[in-house]
Amino acid sequence: MKLELRRIHIKDIQFGNETVVKDGILTINQEELVNKLKEDKRIKEVKVDLARPGEKVRIIPVKDVIEPRVKIEGEGNGFPGVTTKMAQVGSGKVNVLYGAAVVTVGDIVGFQEGVIDMWGEGAKWTPFSKTYNIVVDIKPVEGLAPHTHEETVRLAGLKAAEYIGEAGRNIEPDEVLVYEMGSHAEESKKYPDLPRVLYVEMLISQGLLHDGYIYGVNSQLILPTLLHPNEELDGAVISGNCVAACDKITTYQHQNNSVILDLYEQHGKTINFLGVILTPELTTLEGKFRTCDYTAKLCKTLGADGVIISEEGYGNPDSDLLMICKRLEKEGIKTVLITDECSGWDGMSQPLADTTEEAVAVVSTGNVSHVIKLEPADKVIGDINAITTLAGGWEGCLKEDGSLQCELNAVIGSTSEIGYHNCTVKLY
Amino acid sequence: MKRKDYQIITNNPLVKENYDRVIFVDGGFQDVLIKTRDLVHSGYKLISHPLGASIRMFFSPYRSILITDKADKLDMEHVEIIENSIVSYKKQMDHRKPDEANSKDYACIDGELLKSALEEHERLSI
């Protein structure tokens, strides 16, 4: 498969009479976008707002972030199996509005937090303070069941990204990134001496607000499955998560999965990258055992020498992460785990809900309990009431001057377990 | 045929109202974990993991956990999972209080996640 991600660098965004890109400035026809989204009769009201890096703007509660793109050559524009008809993605040419992001806001439940601050202390922690954000606030018609409400907001975000991405169709890109990889047989022939490395990407797969989708299939229903890395970079995987703000993998992060990009970078140099295994994080223990056995079996069958495993979420998925690690290490396959940690305010507590002696190479992407202070914003996009939820939930977390203290777990992408974020690590 | 080989340990009034086979705990999330621990130590096995998959669900006032309907011999793996879950929960809630202001929504989502867990259990035929 050969995929070209053709980046058009976006330097500013504004509203205007048509949706176009000119000289790196993305103009959006607000009315047209709203009308497009309101074709879904479940949507009562759509508000579109813009947020630029550095502005004293707070966006809350964020549901998903999506990169606007358009496929100009090859099968499958958009998100096949979800918003467009089924197609095999991973090959062709995609024009990317690089630097722009669609951010969906929708309070499906009252306890959603998920904040993006575009300035100050908050901006330091989220990668989406550096993108030019088109914020789409979706209010559905009354009386929708929670599942339908979630689906409505999810699809609206994806459709908005498709609509805006279309503006890049005939624009010459500023840079072109090429991702090409042949079959295992071909690549192994090219790089017979390099260690074969697989990437196991775990996805929360546990029900409402805790789901992920692969070509539209809810990952709760799959056995672990192998993808060519290009498929994920080309829209095969989307997020249905709402409540794990700091460590959920947004659709944008799937489209730009840092682990995939880094492994690609090393492919043919230090490793032979075999692809991505998507592994559901189920709720039942029997389901977890089956999934972890099956993942280890796939890695073994494919002849992996080493496996990188990234987690999504915190709590019961820790068990899956360590079970996969244990099974692989017992088979003589080396593992590196990527996870965030929940190690208390002082960072001194045991970081995961589970542990195993085989987990000897672990990359931490940050402490979700780290406390930060957020200044009051000049403008809040979304639900102002969600600010109360954002505050820590302890005495004194809301200050008289309007600032508040919260834990990192409320900030979108702050401890991304696929490493798409702003923290760096120190080697111990 | 629907499986009936489970019990639900819960403090969620919505679950109590809508399901049979409920062991209702009049208390908080931690009390549900402790009741589960007691039963696991008596030979019951966990069907669903005691913890949720996202930090926010730790702040939920409600939790529902699936266990087997009959006691068997003690399973140390299950003992370890529930004990670790209690340690994790206490650590996470060290400084925080359950998010009571949104209790209605937490009750709803806990119910939805339980429904998914039961469906998953149903798909695993033993």
Side-chain angles (χ1 to χ4, degrees):
Chain A
M1 278 186 177
K2 182 181 176 185
L3 181 70
E4 273 187 27
L5 294 182
R6 298 152 54 87
R7 288 176 169 177
I8 300 156
H9 292 186
I10 298 301
K11 300 175 196 96
D12 202 0
I13 42 173
Q14 61 185 20
F15 288 125
N17 293 328
E18 51 180 344
T19 302
V20 287
V21 177
K22 204 178 168 198
D23 302 328
I25 298 168
L26 169 63
T27 305
I28 290 155
N29 180 331
Q30 195 177 354
E31 198 187 337
E32 204 172 86
L33 172 59
V34 169
N35 289 340
K36 175 92 193 153
L37 298 182
K38 282 175 84 174
E39 284 171 8
D40 185 339
K41 294 298 166 212
R42 299 172 297 186
I43 295 177
K44 184 175 154 191
E45 198 188 329
V46 182
K47 276 195 284 190
V48 185
D49 227 317
L50 305 175
R52 299 173 186 84
E55 289 179 344
K56 232 174 157 181
V57 172
R58 172 164 296 151
I59 312 169
I60 187 171
V62 174
K63 188 194 178 297
D64 197 9
V65 185
I66 309 118
E67 184 164 63
R69 297 170 164 198
V70 61
K71 195 152 199 181
I72 58 163
E73 208 180 288
E75 267 191 72
N77 186 28
F79 302 92
V82 185
T83 55
T84 52
K85 70 180 172 58
M86 194 51 71
Q88 174 61 61
V89 296
S91 305
K93 295 180 179 176
V94 180
N95 281 4
V96 179
L97 302 187
Y98 180 70
V102 169
V103 175
T104 44
V105 174
D107 49 344
I108 295 156
V109 286
F111 57 83
Q112 269 173 262
E113 43 195 3
V115 68
I116 296 175
D117 273 2
M118 300 301 291
W119 90 106
E121 176 70 11
K124 267 178 25 190
W125 296 99
T126 173
F128 302 112
S129 61
K130 293 182 181 65
T131 44
Y132 289 89
N133 296 332
I134 302 109
V135 188
V136 184
D137 187 353
I138 311 288
K139 296 261 179 306
V141 296
E142 320 280 303
L144 283 190
H147 273 285
T148 318
H149 186 172
E150 188 280 324
E151 184 188 83
T152 306
V153 180
R154 171 160 40 92
L155 296 185
L158 301 172
K159 283 180 195 161
E162 281 176 27
Y163 166 80
I164 294 163
E166 194 63 40
R169 184 175 285 279
N170 298 313
I171 308 296
E172 274 308 302
D174 296 289
E175 69 181 309
V176 178
L177 306 170
V178 181
Y179 298 98
E180 186 172 14
M181 199 184 283
S183 70
H184 286 167
E186 289 163 344
E187 298 299 313
S188 293
K189 207 172 162 188
K190 272 197 266 177
Y191 312 113
D193 301 324
L194 293 179
R196 292 176 298 270
V197 175
L198 269 167
Y199 169 35
V200 170
E201 182 181 8
M202 299 166 56
L203 297 176
I204 299 182
S205 308
Q206 308 204 348
L208 184 59
L209 311 187
H210 294 76
D211 280 328
Y213 297 85
I214 307 158
Y215 289 103
V217 178
N218 188 324
S219 58
Q220 277 183 65
L221 303 172
I222 66 156
L223 284 170
T225 193
L226 179 70
L227 260 75
H228 189 291
N230 287 10
E231 295 180 85
E232 181 160 346
L233 299 179
D234 196 19
V237 190
I238 62 154
S239 166
N241 275 313
C242 265
V243 288
C246 61
D247 55 16
K248 73 177 173 187
I249 309 169
T250 61
T251 300
Y252 188 106
Q253 289 162 309
H254 284 299
Q255 293 169 301
N256 294 281
N257 189 313
S258 314
V259 181
I260 294 180
L261 298 184
D262 285 356
L263 289 173
Y264 239 123
E265 178 62 35
Q266 292 303 315
H267 179 65
K269 294 178 191 162
T270 59
I271 59 163
N272 178 5
F273 180 24
L274 299 178
V276 185
I277 294 175
L278 291 172
T279 294
E281 298 168 350
L282 300 179
T283 307
T284 62
L285 297 190
E286 287 293 315
K288 285 180 186 299
F289 296 148
R290 180 182 63 189
T291 297
C292 296
D293 286 343
Y294 201 96
T295 302
K297 181 216 67 183
L298 272 180
C299 295
K300 197 172 177 230
T301 309
L302 292 164
D305 298 304
V307 178
I308 315 283
I309 312 162
S310 68
E311 185 180 353
E312 185 177 27
Y314 171 84
N316 76 52
D318 295 359
S319 298
D320 305 58
L321 177 75
L322 295 168
M323 280 196 286
I324 296 170
C325 163
K326 204 170 182 163
R327 280 156 173 72
L328 288 172
E329 291 280 346
K330 280 204 170 135
E331 293 286 350
I333 300 171
K334 298 238 179 287
T335 57
V336 176
L337 317 184
I338 314 176
T339 176
D340 53 7
E341 49 183 305
C342 185
S343 40
W345 281 9
D346 58 2
M348 298 305 283
S349 305
Q350 178 186 309
L352 294 176
D354 210 343
T355 182
T356 182
E357 58 183 352
E358 286 84 358
V360 288
V362 183
V363 179
S364 165
T365 58
N367 176 13
V368 304
S369 310
H370 179 76
V371 176
I372 56 167
K373 188 178 168 192
L374 301 179
E375 303 298 324
D378 284 349
K379 179 180 170 187
V380 175
I381 304 178
D383 183 4
I384 204 146
N385 297 321
I387 307 280
T388 335
T389 310
L390 176 65
W394 59 83
E395 294 298 331
C397 60
L398 275 166
K399 305 282 179 200
E400 273 177 22
D401 64 358
S403 67
L404 57 90
Q405 283 189 307
C406 73
E407 292 171 340
L408 266 192
N409 55 54
V411 180
I412 292 286
S414 58
T415 61
S416 164
E417 291 168 294
I418 58 164
Y420 192 98
H421 66 325
N422 298 343
C423 294
T424 53
V425 291
K426 202 169 156 183
L427 186 65
Y428 287 96
Chain B
M1 201 174 74
K2 293 270 175 205
R3 296 180 72 161
K4 293 196 173 76
D5 54 351
Y6 64 86
Q7 306 177 83
I8 306 165
I9 307 173
T10 186
N11 65 339
N12 183 346
L14 269 185
V15 171
K16 185 186 176 191
E17 217 172 280
N18 293 307
Y19 287 89
D20 300 327
R21 329 180 72 77
V22 166
I23 301 170
F24 189 73
V25 175
D26 191 8
F29 192 141
Q30 189 168 313
D31 300 308
V32 173
L33 291 174
I34 298 215
K35 180 70 188 171
T36 307
R37 181 195 65 188
D38 293 350
L39 290 168
V40 168
H41 276 276
S42 326
Y44 291 87
K45 291 195 172 55
L46 294 163
I47 293 174
S48 65
H49 197 286
L51 298 177
S54 60
I55 296 277
R56 252 292 150 191
M57 293 312 288
F58 277 73
F59 309 149
S60 172
Y62 303 115
R63 182 69 187 156
S64 304
I65 299 167
L66 290 172
I67 60 158
T68 50
D69 63 336
K70 289 185 195 74
D72 201 341
K73 64 177 195 298
L74 189 67
D75 187 321
M76 286 315 287
E77 195 169 3
H78 290 236
V79 170
E80 206 178 310
I81 291 171
I82 183 65
E83 294 288 357
N84 279 341
S85 299
I86 293 171
V87 172
S88 264
Y89 180 79
K90 283 185 176 163
K91 178 185 66 186
Q92 185 57 47
M93 300 308 282
D94 201 10
H95 301 277
R96 302 188 66 134
K97 299 186 205 104
D99 182 5
E100 298 288 350
N102 293 298
S103 58
K104 219 176 132 194
D105 280 343
Y106 278 110
C108 164
I109 297 300
D110 175 68
E112 287 292 336
L113 294 176
L114 171 70
K115 198 171 145 226
S116 286
L118 277 168
E119 283 165 2
E120 196 179 303
H121 181 56
E122 193 69 38
R123 285 194 292 270
L124 289 155
S125 60
I126 294 170

